[in-house]
Amino acid sequence: MSKSKREEKSAELAKQILENYQPENVEDMQNALKDIFGPMFESMLKGEMNHHLGYESNDKAEKTTENRRNGYGKKTIKTSSGEVDIKVPRDRDGSYNPELIPKRKKDVSAIENKVISMYARGMSQRDISSTIEDIYGFSVSHEMVSDITDQVLPDLEEWQDRPLSNCYAFVFVDCMYTTIRNQYETRKYAVYTILGYTIEGEKEILGLWLNETESKHKWMQIFDEIKARGVEDIFFLSIDGVSGLEEGARAIFPEVIVQRCMVHLIRNSIRYVPSKDYKAFTKALRKVYGAPSLKACLSAFESFKQQWAAYQGAIDVWTRNFSHVEQLYDYGSAIRKVMYTTNAVESVHSSFRKVTKKGAFPNENALLKVLFLRIRELESKWEGGHIQNWAMVMNQLLLHDELKDRVLKYLE
């Protein structure tokens, strides 16, 4: 990692600690760091014990095997932030010898950053194994690494089933594809992601879903699920244009305003444009969907059609979908700026690709663990922040007659 990236990550971590703990002195800062390290070490030791015994806690095998869990022992380890008390799992016959933090080892200050890196960046089993070998000088199997990282699965399951807010002002949906290896063959899987903006202007990823393809039927199941988890109303839904998605969303949320993404329409239309004309073509389009008023938009569109008449296929894309362009001008400029594109959720997928680009995953859980860890990192960055210019967005929502009552209902 370059020096500048390390500095950026250090600054981000410092900001989060300051916001969440509000330390007033050096001692407060050290206590905040200790709060982070202790649970991480304990979670990894529980994974080690699972691997040692060959089954998880509360598994039926617990009752039929001679060697079982036998509570916890206390241990104080020395870190660069001071001493941290942790609970170390024990087994009945005393054969469990922790490898991550050996019995006589108390100083673990050299590995803290590496442990955080493994959990926060969603490293592959191979990379985690290599990191542990680099730290301790011994190798561990991929199965053991899987056991250790499986400790996040209960958190993932709880996160997937958690209750959601009753209202989201804006929701953005999109799919990305990644590869899962099934024995000797690999298959592309669609990762469905929903990003919501709450009425308070905070970002939230509502959930992750996997399917072998992207389809309107799967999207309908997902919308039905989030409704069951507490979502009563969605004001605006930005989509990429999957066939049937608009109708499916309205079947679950009848009052939702569905907006086609302008960026996707651009991508669809430039298929009919020679590459030498891309720049001029997209510049002319920006004058259409970025016009200050509907009148200016209509005028720009007429000029656009005349200027690019040679590329009728491209013009047809915009003609068929022009109602979604006109719809933008039913709302104020601050609202238009939020709803006109799905770039917000595509940015999330861009972050996902950083941890999925290394190759195929052995199963769905392996993929979901990595994505969940990435989500926790993203949401820690978003915590306490608001969408840019959110106050103006709210003012414009309240000025709109059809939305005012719905907004006030959820502000109370």
Side-chain angles (χ1 to χ4, degrees), residues 53 55 60-69 92:
L53 295 176
Y55 53 83
K60 291 181 180 179
E62 184 89 36
K63 300 178 181 179
T64 60
T65 56
E66 293 183 7
N67 192 22
R68 309 179 200 172
R69 289 169 178 78
R92 286 196 172 188

Side-chain angles (χ1 to χ4, degrees), residues 263-279:
V263 176
H264 279 83
L265 289 178
I266 292 171
R267 292 173 187 166
N268 292 342
S269 61
I270 61 173
R271 296 173 184 170
Y272 304 96
V273 178
S275 57
K276 65 182 179 65
D277 288 332
Y278 281 0
K279 187 174 182 180

Side-chain angles (χ1 to χ4, degrees), residues 45 48-49 52 67 73-78 86 88-108 136 138:
L45 288 169
E48 250 194 15
M49 177 62 84
H52 174 70
N67 192 22
K74 292 183 179 180
K75 183 170 185 173
T76 300
I77 55 176
K78 181 181 178 182
I86 62 170
V88 180
R90 298 180 302 202
D91 59 345
R92 286 196 172 188
D93 66 12
S95 60
Y96 170 56
N97 183 22
E99 293 181 319
L100 291 171
I101 305 175
K103 288 183 177 179
R104 288 175 292 279
K105 185 178 179 66
K106 293 186 176 181
D107 189 344
V108 297
Y136 298 103
F138 60 81

Side-chain angles (χ1 to χ4, degrees), residues 168-171 223 232-239 245-259 327 331 403 406:
Y168 290 90
F170 298 86
V171 164
F223 287 130
E232 299 172 3
D233 198 359
I234 296 171
F235 298 163
F236 299 94
L237 174 68
S238 294
I239 67 174
L245 178 53
E246 183 172 346
E247 294 78 8
R250 288 205 178 100
I252 310 297
F253 298 101
E255 293 187 283
V256 69
I257 298 156
V258 180
Q259 177 63 48
Q327 177 178 256
Y331 310 98
L403 290 168
R406 291 163 68 189

